[in-house]
Amino acid sequence: MPPQQLPLAVQLPDDETFETFHEGDNSTALKWLRVLPEKQAPLDISEQLTWLSGPEGVGKSHLLHSLVGASSETSRVFYLPLKELSDVEPAAVLQGAEQASIICLDDVDKVTEDESWCYELFALINRVTDNEYSRLVMTAKQSALKTAVSLPDLQSRFQWATAFQLQPLTDEDKAQVLSLRAQFRGLELPDDVAAFMIQRLGRSMRELMSTLNELDKASITYQRRLTIPFIKKILAV
């Protein structure tokens, strides 16, 4: 397996890094993930398995993308967005994943009511904990205990993980995130403009980031700064 292998040609956002993640009340989870690649084998099960939960838009995928990006060039990294792969044969997807030092399974709860996926996930966790060096990080909307799972033994395995419940950002935090992400792209996003976006466009960070990408392109096309009148014109709001 080559360094930082991303199965199925998955392309990760280059602006989703630990540096662009606004921690808010999630500093403990952020600190844990930052040092996770540096831990030396043999690892305890609590170090090998990590569970990140929280509602959509709280930053779970961002943290996984950051973990992949921060891993050493010599590390073997395995990332799977399971929401997009629920119809794929699980054995073919997960086979050999335990050979990686970092394994990221995003939206694992999208497949846990499928028995085939459950058996393969159960087998993967067993292979990971047996080797004592792989680190498996999983995300879901709910805690391991509250996640619907068709195989009780798998849910038991999930509960071995070190768990973090990610907390949503405040509107002020979201405005800072937008400004930071705009700065990463070479844009200036004034405070009043960021506040306008949150008030008028909804509070989902996923949708706000998507809109910022759209505004970035429009700003380049029309050679305009991001102002409230310009945003109103582009987005017809």
Side-chain angles (χ1 to χ4, degrees):
M1 184 183 298
Q4 298 200 20
Q5 178 177 353
L6 302 181
L8 309 182
V10 174
Q11 297 296 315
L12 302 185
D14 59 5
D15 59 350
E16 293 194 357
T17 66
F18 285 133
E19 288 69 31
T20 60
F21 183 81
H22 187 84
E23 64 183 57
D25 292 328
N26 300 309
S27 59
T28 304
L30 181 61
K31 181 179 179 180
W32 173 267
L33 293 174
R34 278 185 176 275
V35 302
L36 194 60
E38 302 170 7
K39 293 181 179 293
Q40 299 296 312
L43 302 174
D44 294 334
I45 290 178
S46 62
E47 296 173 310
Q48 288 192 274
L49 305 178
T50 301
W51 185 277
L52 303 177
S53 62
E56 185 174 346
V58 79
K60 301 186 298 294
S61 296
H62 186 147
L63 285 173
L64 290 193
H65 300 162
S66 302
L67 183 59
V68 171
S71 298
S72 165
E73 291 184 0
T74 59
S75 297
R76 293 175 176 176
V77 180
F78 192 94
Y79 173 86
L80 286 177
L82 295 185
K83 181 166 61 175
E84 302 171 22
L85 301 172
S86 58
D87 294 331
V88 178
E89 174 57 41
V93 173
L94 298 178
Q95 184 66 37
E98 72 282 356
Q99 298 174 30
S101 58
I102 300 288
I103 307 159
C104 297
L105 301 182
D106 210 355
D107 294 312
V108 72
D109 51 336
K110 296 297 183 181
V111 300
T112 53
E113 293 188 80
D114 182 304
E115 283 194 2
S116 296
W117 273 100
C118 283
Y119 282 111
E120 292 301 328
L121 287 168
F122 180 79
L124 173 61
I125 291 176
N126 286 342
R127 297 195 301 270
V128 164
T129 54
D130 283 346
N131 72 29
E132 297 186 326
Y133 69 82
S134 296
R135 281 139 284 201
L136 171 60
V137 183
M138 299 165 282
T139 72
K141 288 184 178 180
Q142 301 286 343
S143 67
L145 180 61
K146 293 183 178 179
T147 295
V149 180
S150 65
L151 181 64
D153 284 345
L154 176 60
Q155 191 159 55
S156 177
R157 292 290 191 275
F158 284 163
Q159 292 180 63
W160 287 354
T162 297
F164 300 93
Q165 174 77 33
L166 299 184
Q167 302 301 314
L169 299 175
T170 65
D171 284 355
E172 182 179 348
D173 289 332
K174 292 177 182 179
Q176 292 181 28
V177 171
L178 284 172
S179 297
L180 180 62
R181 197 68 66 87
Q183 183 180 358
F184 181 89
R185 294 174 174 271
L187 295 170
E188 180 183 353
L189 187 68
D191 293 343
D192 62 328
V193 178
F196 171 81
M197 289 178 63
I198 293 168
Q199 292 167 3
R200 293 294 297 274
L201 305 178
R203 287 170 166 78
S204 165
M205 286 307 302
R206 190 181 300 277
E207 293 178 9
L208 287 168
M209 290 297 106
S210 177
T211 301
L212 183 62
N213 291 340
E214 182 181 348
L215 293 173
D216 181 16
K217 295 175 183 178
S219 176
I220 294 173
T221 299
Y222 296 103
Q223 294 294 297
R224 294 280 301 277
R225 294 183 299 107
L226 295 183
T227 63
I228 292 176
F230 179 64
I231 291 176
K232 285 182 174 180
K233 180 179 179 179
I234 295 299
L235 301 179
V237 296

